[in-house]
Amino acid sequence: MAKKAKIVREYKIIEKVNKYAPLRAELKALIKNPNTSVGDKKNAVARLDKLPRSSSPIRIRTRCFKTGRPRAVIKRFNLSRIVFREMALRGEIPGITKASW
């Protein structure tokens, strides 16, 4: 089980990413647009640099929603490999069965 502080920090980062997502998208569109003037691009890059670092989506760490484990998370189920295996063996995940041949 992950520390509660790590899990809470992750939720705060997700909130911050969602808050700044429209502004980041707008600035990135300005930067990528070939018709934008050089001055406007520099201004957009400067504004993008002034945004908080934790507002970047790359800062989000995928965690198991049951245990908070940050590594070996299966994205489709949002579970770590350990919890996924336990739940699959108990039959708690519909459509998942242990392979046997």
Side-chain angles (χ1 to χ4, degrees):
M1 184 78 182
K3 290 182 181 179
K4 295 289 182 190
K6 294 280 189 182
I7 296 170
V8 170
R9 183 186 305 159
E10 201 65 42
Y11 286 126
K12 286 183 180 180
I13 290 172
I14 291 170
E15 286 176 11
K16 197 174 279 191
V17 167
N18 292 337
K19 177 182 174 184
Y20 286 100
L23 179 59
R24 289 183 76 84
E26 178 186 329
L27 292 173
K28 286 195 172 207
L30 272 174
I31 294 166
K32 287 182 181 179
N33 189 355
N35 298 329
T36 308
S37 68
V38 176
D40 289 341
K41 282 187 182 186
K42 285 184 179 180
N43 186 21
V45 169
R47 286 180 58 198
L48 192 61
D49 286 342
K50 286 183 182 176
L51 292 179
R53 280 187 177 180
S54 57
S55 68
S56 174
I58 201 72
R59 296 277 179 153
I60 297 175
R61 179 85 175 172
T62 54
R63 289 186 177 271
C64 173
F65 84 93
K66 193 166 184 180
T67 61
R69 187 175 201 273
R71 295 175 187 260
V73 176
I74 302 169
K75 283 188 178 182
R76 181 175 174 189
F77 302 100
N78 209 14
L79 293 169
S80 69
R81 62 181 174 82
I82 300 162
V83 175
F84 174 79
R85 187 166 190 269
E86 290 171 357
M87 289 178 73
L89 288 174
R90 281 185 262 144
E92 295 175 1
I93 303 174
I96 303 296
T97 54
K98 189 169 187 276
S100 60
W101 57 86

